[in-house]
Amino acid sequence: MTQNPPGLIERAGIEIIPESERTAKPRDLFWPWFAANVSVFGMSYGSFVLGFGISFWQATIVSIIGIVVSFLLCGLIAIAGKRGSAPTMVLSRAAFGVHGQKVPGIVSWLTSIGWETFLAIMAVLATATVITQLGGDGDSIALKITATVIVAALIVGASVLGYHAIMKMQSVLTWLTGAVTVLYVILAAPSIDLEAVLARPDGGIGQVIGALVMVMTGFGLGWINIAADWSRYQKRTASDGAIVAWNTIGGSVAPVILVVFGLLLAGSNDELLLAVQNDPIGALATILPVWVLVPFLLTAVLALVSGAVLGIYSSGLTLLSLGIRIPRPSAAAIDGAILTAGTIFVVFFATDFLGPFQSFLITLGVPLAAWAGILIADILRRRTDYDEQALFDANGRYGAWDWTSIGTMVVTSVIGWGLVVNNFAEDAAWNNWQGYLLFLIGGKEGEWAYANLGVFFALVLSFLVTYFARAGRIRRQEA
């Protein structure tokens, strides 16, 4: 995406991107976001959403709103990338302070590591299921080891190469995965039973909001901590509105279609709905004819790899922003080693991981939502570009610690955790400490218990507090 691209491996770490290399256009942002979200895994969310006990129409509205709004928030964060030409977690120093940023930085790093490992695990499990359908031994240790090595090598290799290689790769994968996904939709359409889908009863408002929070957390909010990483090569003259629009379109268009189709499939077949809970990709393959399983497997794996590449690339940048002084490719390689170890553990030793993962996602989703609210308010309050040198100087205008932002994040997170419930109490007993404030809205058995209001609370309250409490400080920083 540059006129004079550097060597094969991107050497830029968390430093400011030079003006000569900022040649990307807003429409270029479509490719990484679309490619990372055009996976058939998106269809699995149809089962997850219906699992809240809501009707097809409720689930459709919830899915569309949750996906579009959550990626719109990513677009707002991406504005900072253009203004400062640095990774998201470096730009966040303007709101938290140069050293204070390490607090949300750790949450961001854990979230990225969790997401990329989850996607790698999905790829390996899908491989095993499809091989079984083809008549092979999907439980073979040799097969799983081979699949793990290949998946990890693809993810780590692309992330080590860096931005330019990833952007080119994503533009190619977009067409490949998109074409096979369309083929899947055509072949799976006869499995839809509209009568059964429309017969599902409506759920209560608490169930609807719970599904909405899950969708937002699983899609846009799951990427929000890396949104500016992909806009830091944008021209300074790029339109803020165009950046927001292309982020939102690129991230939303495929998931909206895929999740709605997934709702139709899951609503038609209770067995499929339950099977998706344990093996999201592999279960979807069970309704396909044998001849299409190989291309389905290849593109499903590539789509998951595509999403994981974005995560591991950005988790490496986040690691550097925490003060680890190593080259960017080395940071990506370290995170790749962690991903590989996590994948091996789950595939070979864990008896269940989807439940604990979703519990982990909601837990980190609360402070991540609080951070997002703070940074979005900070971005909307600012009228000028960032002081690039001050982002790396604790004595500069942004200071070392911004206690207003840190305090806001901590307080809203503590309250937010009190308003979410661990939906996987048996699978993730270590998370049963949450929900200590649910007695205020009917208790852990009430209708609102599973709405996970804590995520919304953390996002909205942190935004409001920051927008008003830090207005004067931001004006002084920009004076």
Side-chain angles (χ1 to χ4, degrees), residues 108-149:
S108 173
W109 182 75
L110 288 172
T111 301
S112 293
I113 285 289
W115 263 115
E116 65 204 27
T117 303
F118 172 74
L119 293 174
I121 293 165
M122 287 287 93
V124 174
L125 292 182
T127 301
T129 300
V130 172
I131 292 299
T132 299
Q133 286 182 252
L134 288 171
D137 183 6
D139 292 325
S140 165
I141 294 178
L143 170 68
K144 290 183 177 179
I145 291 176
T146 301
T148 300
V149 170

Side-chain angles (χ1 to χ4, degrees), residues 248-259:
T248 307
I249 294 170
S252 300
V253 63
V256 165
I257 296 171
L258 293 172
V259 174

